[in-house]
Amino acid sequence: MEGDIQLLIDYLRQKNSENPNFFYAVQCEDDQFTGNVLWADPKARSDFAYFGDTVTFDTTYRSNRYRLPFAPITGVNHHGQPVLFGCAFIMSETEASFVWLFNTWLTAVSGHHPVSITTDHDVVLRSAVMQVFPETRHRFCKWHIFKKCQEKLSHVFLKHPTFEVDFHKCVNLTESVEEFESCWFSLVDRYELRDHDWLQAIYSDRKQWVPVYLRDTFFAEMSITQRSDSMNSYFDGYINASTNLQHFFKLYEKALESRNEKEVRADYDTMNTSPALKTPSPMEKQASELYTRKLFSRFQEELFETLTFMASKVDDGDEDRITYQVSKFGEDNKPYYVKFNVLKMRAACSCQMFEFSGLLCRHILAVFRVTNVLTLPSHYILRRWTRNARSSVVIEESSADVYTNYLESQTVRYNTLRHEAFRFVDEAMKSSADSYDVALTALKEAAKEVLNAAKNDGRSSAFSNGRNKVASAGDKGTEKFSSGTRDDMDKKIQQLRNEVERASRKCEVYRANLLSVLKDIEDHKLQLSINVQNIKISMKDNL
């Protein structure tokens, strides 16, 4: 054992000597090596900076004859592929070992805590996570619980062939906490399992693995029922329970090379091919230019599905927040509810897909369709899902696309005016006929004012009215100024205003051009990186 461990440490020292950014650490107590080792290569540390919002820590691999746990720390990149953030060998799965591991790993990745972390269902791990990541949402891997269920309830599976399907439906297909609770107790009663110790234990921990309790937190998964691709998959086909430590690093490096090649291919496809659009929607075109191919495909699916959904207003709420009921044609008994803030262009759906995956659901997109929202508001475009996720250029998202901002501002104004108009009409219709006449007269007068403002562009009229009010309320002595002097002042002020507006427009154009240049530079850098990787792959294939 000591000889194999020394081989491991020698390997890590060599990697560190080749590149000082290769991080590794060994745990020692009283000058004695405990057998716990952690490392993170430069790419892993860099990837965490871009995609470290959600993390998976997997201790299910037993990769050598000493049953020394190999624990990869993984996440999800902008293509939805598993990405590595670090690895560890742990001699003993004690709370102290895991606490050391998490704290050391945080040092490697600059102390940034993830939003969420997924681990095996284990009380020791839970305690360590609570100590090191007190603000991080901790989830137990649902698929490991399902696998354990087959072991703990094998007699039930044999006796009742329908139990597995019913169990999966209860966990994955329930839409609310109340529905899950009702379904769970119905399940355990039907199969006479209410007193089963293991089922009682996982029920007690339900808030850490059942989807309905976790939808309000980001886990970078495209659906509630999807298995996390990073859990138990990064090293699939390379490392298994029979792999010994002497062969480990050769297989480890092959796995890294394979994953890097897949990412390069996905980058190439995103940068050099254009997806087929299914609708004339400006939102679909915008998304196709922002998201990676994999993520755009998922978004396009949600957008296309809005054609089969109806959104109807059910509650005006306060002045700015409206509630819509959204349901599929013919399925009115399965509604979703979307609360939409017209002024802030923010929406929240009862399905919580955006909170869970970072992509807008078909229900919110259906509300956007009926409220004339033409493009995705910038706060709904997560940078980690875009083709420029790795870009080193930090650009304010609100100024990244001048045309998009223009459409957003137009949409906000349209929705605000429409909301106020409908509210005005509703109030008028609730009252008497006199109120109706007053409202109709007011609308006609407002229409005239809007027409005049449109003709004068709102500027000359506003300035003239303001000047006249000041003149009438001020000292009469000001009348000694000649009308010619006033006209000269008006012309000068208007001239200065025009110059300011021209300068502002030029700045906007310069900023748009600068952003375009920066984007081209980033695209060129990415293209060069892809070309280099393709050459390496080609050379390897020729060899």
Side-chain angles (χ1 to χ4, degrees):
M1 182 185 297
E2 291 180 359
D4 281 354
I5 293 295
Q6 190 58 50
L7 286 175
L8 165 62
I9 296 176
D10 289 345
Y11 174 89
L12 298 177
R13 282 176 179 162
Q14 179 186 345
K15 287 293 183 181
N16 177 259
S17 66
E18 293 171 358
N19 188 335
N21 287 325
F22 186 100
F23 177 95
Y24 80 98
V26 295
Q27 184 184 19
C28 295
E29 292 179 0
D30 301 324
D31 295 329
Q32 295 294 317
F33 175 52
T34 64
N36 298 330
V37 183
L38 176 129
W39 71 93
D41 63 29
K43 186 177 185 303
R45 301 174 74 183
S46 172
D47 284 344
F48 183 80
Y50 301 118
F51 310 115
D53 39 18
T54 185
V55 168
T56 296
F57 178 65
D58 183 9
T59 55
T60 58
Y61 289 95
R62 301 294 193 267
S63 52
N64 61 60
R65 61 184 177 275
Y66 310 120
R67 297 187 63 79
L68 186 70
F70 167 55
I73 305 170
T74 60
V76 181
N77 70 9
H78 52 325
H79 299 293
Q81 300 169 333
V83 61
L84 193 65
F85 295 145
C87 293
F89 275 101
I90 306 175
M91 183 66 72
S92 60
E93 294 183 345
T94 64
E95 182 178 324
S97 295
F98 290 129
V99 168
W100 171 85
L101 170 71
F102 292 145
N103 280 321
T104 306
W105 177 69
L106 278 178
T107 300
V109 294
S110 304
H112 172 66
H113 287 226
V115 173
S116 60
I117 184 170
T118 302
T119 73
D120 299 344
H121 181 220
D122 185 270
V123 292
V124 175
L125 271 171
R126 173 165 55 190
S127 179
V129 169
M130 288 176 64
Q131 289 184 54
V132 183
F133 304 106
E135 302 300 322
T136 297
R137 188 73 177 272
H138 184 197
R139 176 178 70 166
F140 294 135
C141 179
K142 178 180 60 179
W143 297 99
H144 286 173
I145 291 177
F146 281 174
K147 186 177 179 181
K148 185 67 71 174
C149 181
Q150 293 174 348
E151 299 173 12
K152 297 288 187 180
L153 301 171
S154 56
H155 62 289
V156 180
F157 278 66
L158 288 172
K159 185 178 179 181
H160 302 285
T162 59
F163 173 77
E164 184 175 12
V165 173
D166 289 343
F167 185 75
H168 278 261
K169 284 182 179 178
C170 178
V171 172
N172 288 324
L173 301 184
T174 47
E175 296 285 346
S176 66
V177 170
E178 294 76 14
E179 185 182 356
F180 166 76
E181 297 278 352
S182 173
C183 186
W184 178 272
F185 287 116
S186 174
L187 181 78
V188 294
D189 287 340
R190 188 184 319 140
Y191 294 100
E192 300 178 349
L193 295 170
R194 187 177 280 265
D195 296 327
H196 193 280
D197 292 341
W198 183 79
L199 279 178
Q200 286 182 344
I202 63 169
Y203 176 75
S204 297
D205 293 334
R206 62 193 180 280
K207 294 182 180 180
Q208 288 185 266
W209 68 276
V210 177
V212 292
Y213 295 97
L214 298 163
R215 289 175 177 167
D216 60 347
T217 304
F218 182 75
F219 284 96
E221 293 176 18
M222 294 301 102
S223 71
I224 298 295
T225 57
Q226 170 195 332
R227 175 180 178 177
S228 174
D229 194 28
S230 60
M231 195 69 164
N232 260 353
S233 68
Y234 193 92
F235 292 99
D236 275 359
Y238 295 93
I239 299 169
N240 53 50
S242 63
T243 306
N244 62 44
L245 197 55
Q246 291 179 335
H247 297 116
F248 169 81
F249 281 104
K250 186 176 181 180
L251 297 172
Y252 163 84
E253 290 183 349
K254 281 187 176 180
L256 261 61
E257 186 177 2
S258 173
R259 288 294 179 186
N260 290 341
E261 286 179 10
K262 290 179 180 178
E263 183 176 346
V264 167
R265 291 193 181 101
D267 282 337
Y268 182 86
D269 288 342
T270 294
M271 300 301 294
N272 293 281
T273 61
S274 298
L277 303 183
K278 296 182 179 180
T279 72
S281 164
M283 186 180 291
E284 185 183 17
K285 186 175 188 301
Q286 174 199 20
S288 72
E289 295 170 350
L290 291 172
Y291 290 129
T292 59
R293 287 295 301 273
K294 172 73 176 290
L295 269 295
F296 170 70
S297 176
R298 186 67 185 84
F299 173 81
Q300 187 180 49
E301 179 185 338
E302 291 297 314
L303 184 65
F304 194 69
E305 281 296 319
T306 63
L307 300 177
T308 64
F309 278 77
M310 293 185 63
S312 55
K313 186 167 62 172
V314 294
D315 180 23
D316 277 336
D318 55 31
E319 293 185 1
D320 305 325
R321 197 177 180 90
I322 306 173
T323 300
Y324 289 85
Q325 178 177 303
V326 183
S327 56
K328 196 170 186 177
F329 286 108
E331 297 183 7
D332 293 342
N333 60 322
K334 296 180 180 179
Y336 294 86
Y337 293 93
V338 175
K339 293 182 179 180
F340 181 39
N341 189 309
V342 178
L343 299 181
K344 295 182 179 180
M345 294 282 284
R346 291 189 177 274
C349 181
S350 57
C351 79
Q352 296 183 304
M353 177 176 162
F354 180 76
E355 290 82 357
F356 188 76
S357 70
L359 281 178
L360 283 177
C361 63
R362 59 195 65 182
H363 317 116
I364 289 178
L365 293 175
V367 171
F368 281 177
R369 176 168 52 82
V370 301
T371 55
N372 201 41
V373 177
L374 302 177
T375 62
L376 282 172
S378 55
H379 46 266
Y380 286 121
I381 303 169
L382 296 194
R383 185 181 181 84
R384 60 113 56 236
W385 289 136
T386 67
R387 57 180 62 198
N388 293 322
R390 293 182 182 278
S391 172
S392 59
V393 180
V394 180
I395 302 172
E396 252 186 70
E397 294 200 6
S398 61
S399 61
D401 190 330
V402 175
Y403 177 64
T404 298
N405 291 336
Y406 167 74
L407 288 177
E408 282 188 27
S409 63
Q410 290 287 91
T411 304
V412 169
R413 283 185 284 178
Y414 172 86
N415 282 327
T416 302
L417 286 173
R418 189 174 70 165
H419 178 59
E420 291 298 322
F422 279 143
R423 200 154 61 90
F424 179 75
V425 171
D426 288 342
E427 289 297 324
M429 292 304 296
K430 290 177 184 176
S431 304
S432 63
D434 291 340
S435 298
Y436 166 80
D437 293 336
V438 171
L440 189 61
T441 302
L443 283 175
K444 290 179 180 180
E445 290 297 323
K448 291 178 183 178
E449 291 291 331
V450 170
L451 185 61
N452 290 333
K455 287 180 179 179
N456 299 322
D457 203 21
R459 290 190 292 269
S460 300
S461 175
F463 178 76
S464 176
N465 289 339
R467 185 200 64 198
N468 290 338
K469 288 178 182 178
V470 171
S472 61
D475 191 333
K476 293 183 180 180
T478 57
E479 293 178 2
K480 64 182 180 181
F481 289 106
S482 67
S483 59
T485 304
R486 284 200 192 93
D487 290 341
D488 290 342
M489 289 173 62
D490 290 351
K491 288 179 182 179
K492 187 64 176 177
I493 291 173
Q494 190 60 45
Q495 182 181 356
L496 290 173
R497 287 190 176 193
N498 292 337
E499 288 178 4
V500 169
E501 287 183 6
R502 282 196 296 270
S504 178
R505 285 195 294 269
K506 285 183 180 180
C507 287
E508 197 66 34
V509 172
Y510 291 152
R511 182 169 60 176
N513 289 338
L514 176 60
L515 292 174
S516 177
V517 170
L518 292 174
K519 184 178 181 299
D520 288 343
I521 291 173
E522 287 300 317
D523 289 346
H524 186 61
K525 283 168 60 180
L526 181 57
Q527 189 65 56
L528 287 175
S529 174
I530 293 171
N531 290 340
V532 170
Q533 292 295 333
N534 284 334
I535 292 171
K536 289 182 179 179
I537 294 170
S538 177
M539 291 175 66
K540 186 186 73 171
D541 292 341
N542 291 334
L543 292 175

